[in-house]
Amino acid sequence: MELPYIEPFKTKMVENVPVSTKEQRKQWIEECQFNLFKLSSDKVTIDLLTDSGTGAMSDKQWAEIMLGDESYAGSLSYHKLKDTIEELLGFEYFLPTHQGRAAENVLFSVLVKDGDIVPGNSHFDTTKGHIEFRKAKAVDVTIDEAFDTSVYHPFKGNLDLNKLEKVLQENPKEKIPLILITITNNTAGGQPVSMQNMREVSALGKKYGVPVFIDAARYAENAYFIKVREDGYADKSIKEIILEMFSYAEGCTMSSKKDGIVNIGGFIGLRSQETFRQASTFNIIYEGFITYGGMAGRDMGALAQGLRESAEFSYLESRIGQVAFLGSKLKEFGIPVQEPFGGHAIFVDAKKMLPNVPQKEYTAQLLAVELYIEAGIRGVEIGILLADRDPETRENRYPKLEMVRLAIPRRVYSNNHMEYVAVALKNVFDRREELKSGFTIIWEAPIMRHFTVELERIEKKDLLFSNQSKNLELVTNELEV
């Protein structure tokens, strides 16, 4: 008999899971103006808000915490991390930052200016925010297959080469500071980018004189998908695949809280000494000296170890396998999800799940709130709230996909927890016909509003009053005629 699969780790410490009643959760989420970010963690049973900084570190990572060198300049922990990044990713120059959006802030302070255009595959919220904050424009050139959750494509994160070349042809290269490849493509459902696509994007960049940069938050998961899905890579090691991926880029930003398996940290990797020198000035202004950049030495040591662990096939097989386990359970229940399953999360198609709720009423946010009320599970909306308003018209942007992301922390939950999540979502699915109205915004920030937005329910009586008003208007118009 063949031995069953086991996780490539064992538990050394446990943390109690908070439990609550449905009535308590209804009260708590209402007090938070239906914003799941505002909930305190003791009111959440299973937290799938994000996989960023929520993973469990290994014994070797905790050992690095004790070995941390906290020297202000020239820390040995810095050199350990620098050597790891050069070995794994191939970048000679490197700047530590306290997290990924800080890396974006520093790099874009050098590269992006007013009126610029940054093409890429579904820029994530902070990336787009940093671009638009500088009065530049993020242009999404993701392949069309990414926006149909039922279509199977092994690399839905790919950039559409025709869309990209159209942007490059129609704009002077001085207005395009970089092409951005996000691996994996979070906004489209944690979908990977193929090696062939990265190679071809790099070739287009060279043809038009525009450098390629990578948002590397989940680069190891992307390498895993290349190994198991792309022809010619089955016999390559994860480390070999990683080196080739980054060979097609001039630099990268990374939120190390994802595939670095740490609770804080980020970095910029660069080939150009000149770009490194310019970025160093902004790093010192915004983050700290260039050999710590807002990170403690102990955290740099833990990150160096985490980067090595995330490049192990056994770890990736376990991690991505758990995501697929949840996805398979949801499919069994008939719940519409983005397929194929992504690397770090399952994305539920809220439009298909709640067809009676119009997108303008924040369908995915309603689904996320109902899932929390049902079972204390906190997910996150990836839809109209996150898409934010157009910076010029201030009108809501309506993305093609309206989804709830269930992001799974690394090495934290068991498959029993995933079963609980699946059944809870099925319970919401079973009462979907009861859900006919969503939310309206009562307060929002001018940019990246989803983190702090305040909402209120659109009650049925409000809808009735609205319909009565429309009917009265029709009758009045007829009388005037």
Side-chain angles (χ1 to χ4, degrees), residues 104 124 127 180-184 213-218 253-254:
E104 291 169 344
F124 198 56
T127 316
L180 188 64
I181 304 176
T182 302
I183 53 173
T184 56
F213 281 75
I214 290 175
D215 176 343
R218 298 175 180 89
T253 60
M254 181 167 182

Side-chain angles (χ1 to χ4, degrees), residues 276-313:
F276 167 76
R277 284 174 171 168
Q278 292 179 48
S280 295
T281 300
F282 290 102
N283 215 64
I284 292 168
I285 292 171
Y286 294 132
E287 294 294 294
F289 187 58
I290 61 173
T291 62
Y292 77 90
M295 293 184 70
R298 56 183 173 269
D299 291 320
M300 287 191 284
L303 172 55
Q305 177 61 29
L307 290 170
R308 294 183 183 280
E309 290 179 12
S310 72
E312 295 171 2
F313 181 81

Side-chain angles (χ1 to χ4, degrees), residues 78-88 94 308:
Y78 160 82
H79 287 289
K80 187 178 294 184
L81 180 54
K82 183 181 186 303
D83 292 344
T84 299
I85 290 169
E86 186 167 4
E87 177 189 332
L88 284 178
F94 137 79
R308 294 183 183 280

Side-chain angles (χ1 to χ4, degrees), residues 58 125 127 150 221 227 254 257 281 310 328 347 393 400 402 467 470:
S58 69
D125 56 355
T127 316
S150 63
E221 292 173 7
K227 180 175 175 65
M254 181 167 182
K257 296 159 67 176
T281 300
S310 72
S328 298
F347 288 68
T393 67
K400 293 178 182 177
E402 182 79 10
N467 289 334
K470 288 177 182 176

